[in-house]
Amino acid sequence: MLIQFSVSNFLSFDETETLSMIAGKARKNIDRIYKSKKIKLTKCEVILGANASGKSNLVSALQFIQQMIVEGLPLGFSNKYFRLKPENKNLP
């Protein structure tokens, strides 16, 4: 179960961006919230944004981490850093 996902220095993400599934205090549509003893999570999220705002790159980051978990670190991963800053090539 995905609770929180953070990405930085990957494709169009220079600084850390976070996708969180933790539910807020809203009481409307309570049936869309998963509750356990310790945490409340949303069952689904929507990603909205303007053209070229990084929505597809967020999906690419999720696919990259899924592939890394299942198959190990993929070949060619060093090409996916934030290329507008050449110094980012050596950052994690």
Side-chain angles (χ1 to χ4, degrees):
M1 177 182 300
L2 181 68
I3 296 174
Q4 187 171 344
F5 179 74
S6 296
V7 61
S8 64
N9 195 25
F10 186 83
L11 297 177
S12 63
F13 297 103
D14 181 23
E15 298 188 12
T16 303
E17 298 292 333
T18 302
L19 172 69
S20 178
M21 300 295 283
I22 297 172
K25 296 180 181 181
R27 293 184 181 141
K28 189 175 182 182
N29 299 321
I30 198 77
D31 57 324
R32 297 180 186 169
I33 295 178
Y34 167 80
K35 294 180 186 177
S36 81
K37 295 178 181 178
K38 297 182 180 181
I39 194 165
K40 292 189 319 183
L41 302 172
T42 58
K43 292 182 180 178
C44 66
E45 288 287 331
V46 176
I47 301 170
L48 300 173
N51 292 342
S53 64
K55 299 178 298 290
S56 296
N57 287 340
L58 178 63
V59 173
S60 295
L62 288 165
Q63 289 173 337
F64 178 82
I65 198 70
Q66 179 185 12
Q67 182 180 4
M68 190 173 81
I69 291 168
V70 173
E71 301 173 9
L73 201 57
L75 297 175
F77 70 93
S78 62
N79 294 338
K80 297 189 184 262
Y81 65 92
F82 182 71
R83 293 184 180 197
L84 293 179
K85 292 184 180 177
E87 62 270 14
N88 281 10
K89 185 174 185 175
N90 299 321
L91 296 175

